[in-house]
Amino acid sequence: MKNTAKTAVLLAGLSGFFLFIGATLGGTTGMFIALIAAFAMIGFSYWKSDALAIRSARAVPADEAQFPQYYEIMRDLTQRADMPMPRLYITPDPQPNAFATGRNPDNAVIAVTAGLLQYLSWDEVRGVLAHELAHVKNRDILIGSVAAAIATAITFIANIAQFALIFGGGNNRDRNPLADLAMIIVAPIAAALLQMAISRSREFQADRSAAQLIGDGEPLARALEKISSGAAQMPMKVNPAQEQMYIANPLGPSQVAGNLFRTHPPMEERIRRLRSGEWQSALG
């Protein structure tokens, strides 16, 4: 409940900030344009996120005859969670990693890399699949898509405002060009910070839900150790805009100081929480 409330507050803050930007830079008309842009981007992201993610990752449907344990584990997890069976995919990447996508549980996709199946035991793979299934059940794909779409829209509006300020902003004496310039610079940064905070919160929640689903946090903790090591040794070439959908940052360890600009929580903290048994507190 704490993570859910935090996500709701962050998402509301991101949405409110978006409308504030539109109203500040363009008044009522600007806010209306901002709303249209937001709905358009959210709608596109909602309907096309799975196809874009699959294509970008070069993922192909997993053959059940070739990967029977992959299907067996997922059938067991979906029965435990009382959820539909997602479509299962495999990407050719040697780095151990995984992601989930799809607009809802009935249209979900879970993909694992070839490296994940090569370097992890099936018990560890089970922990990873439980984590990805938790993302689907918690509607994190939709939440993440909405947050990304709003953040992108804010950046888009800021870019338009920048051009307007350069080529015509000086003609409006009622406006302060320095204040507008500050808003143009600060807005995309603030939007990115809120989006990344939402992503980190949902990762903690998916870890917790996964441990609750299988009744043990250790398999996922061991998997995260191996995935972290693999990501450091063989970074994956992915669009930075899609890094948040993976269980661990596929680009390798973040070089950013602190956590504000990270899409994933510190791996050490995720592993600590799984092994400390904190996930059991919500079981009653």
Side-chain angles (χ1 to χ4, degrees):
M1 291 299 295
K2 181 180 179 181
N3 270 317
T4 301
K6 180 180 178 181
T7 300
V9 170
L10 290 170
L11 197 55
L14 185 58
S15 302
F17 183 58
F18 176 66
L19 295 178
F20 173 73
I21 294 298
T24 300
L25 297 178
T28 303
T29 302
M31 187 168 66
F32 182 70
I33 294 174
L35 277 172
I36 293 175
F39 279 120
M41 291 185 178
I42 290 169
F44 179 82
S45 180
Y46 179 77
W47 288 102
K48 297 296 183 180
S49 60
D50 55 345
L52 292 174
I54 291 169
R55 187 181 304 115
S56 176
R58 297 166 293 136
V60 297
D63 182 0
E64 185 172 2
Q66 187 177 0
F67 302 100
Q69 288 171 293
Y70 187 5
Y71 277 82
E72 181 181 344
I73 291 172
M74 186 52 69
R75 285 197 180 96
D76 173 65
L77 292 175
T78 52
Q79 288 175 3
R80 287 169 176 260
D82 191 24
M83 293 176 60
M85 179 79 171
R87 289 175 287 155
L88 303 183
Y89 279 72
I90 291 182
T91 82
D93 299 285
Q95 180 195 111
N97 220 316
F99 68 86
T101 186
R103 60 185 181 273
N104 55 46
D106 291 321
N107 296 276
V109 170
I110 289 180
V112 300
T113 64
L116 188 90
L117 300 183
Q118 179 179 356
Y119 294 112
L120 272 63
S121 69
W122 283 110
D123 190 42
E124 293 161 351
V125 170
R126 186 167 179 257
V128 171
L129 294 179
H131 172 98
E132 297 306 330
L133 191 64
H135 275 311
V136 175
K137 186 172 185 177
N138 296 339
R139 305 284 178 146
D140 290 336
I141 298 109
L142 175 59
I143 293 171
S145 296
V146 170
I150 294 175
T152 301
I154 288 175
T155 303
F156 176 72
I157 291 174
N159 289 336
I160 292 177
Q162 181 179 3
F163 282 106
L165 184 64
I166 292 173
F167 295 108
N171 296 329
N172 188 344
R173 296 182 179 181
D174 294 331
R175 299 190 61 82
N176 184 338
L178 292 179
D180 285 350
L181 181 60
M183 182 68 71
I184 290 168
I185 295 173
V186 171
I189 297 174
L193 290 175
L194 286 169
Q195 179 192 355
M196 291 176 187
I198 291 171
S199 177
R200 292 193 299 271
S201 177
R202 302 321 296 166
E203 286 303 318
F204 277 134
Q205 183 60 48
D207 288 345
R208 184 187 189 95
S209 297
Q212 291 172 349
L213 181 61
I214 64 178
D216 189 0
E218 182 59 27
L220 180 55
R222 292 199 310 269
L224 291 177
E225 287 178 330
K226 292 184 178 180
I227 290 171
S228 179
S229 175
Q233 295 176 26
M234 47 185 117
M236 193 188 304
K237 293 182 179 180
V238 301
N239 186 335
Q242 295 181 326
E243 69 178 78
Q244 66 175 8
M245 71 181 183
Y246 286 84
I247 191 171
N249 190 338
L251 301 176
S254 174
Q255 302 302 315
V256 179
N259 296 324
L260 288 179
F261 283 95
R262 293 180 179 177
T263 56
H264 293 72
M267 193 62 78
E268 296 80 6
E269 177 62 13
R270 294 174 67 182
I271 293 171
R272 185 198 68 78
R273 292 190 183 194
L274 286 166
R275 285 181 168 155
S276 70
E278 290 182 16
W279 54 271
Q280 296 178 330
S281 61
L283 295 176

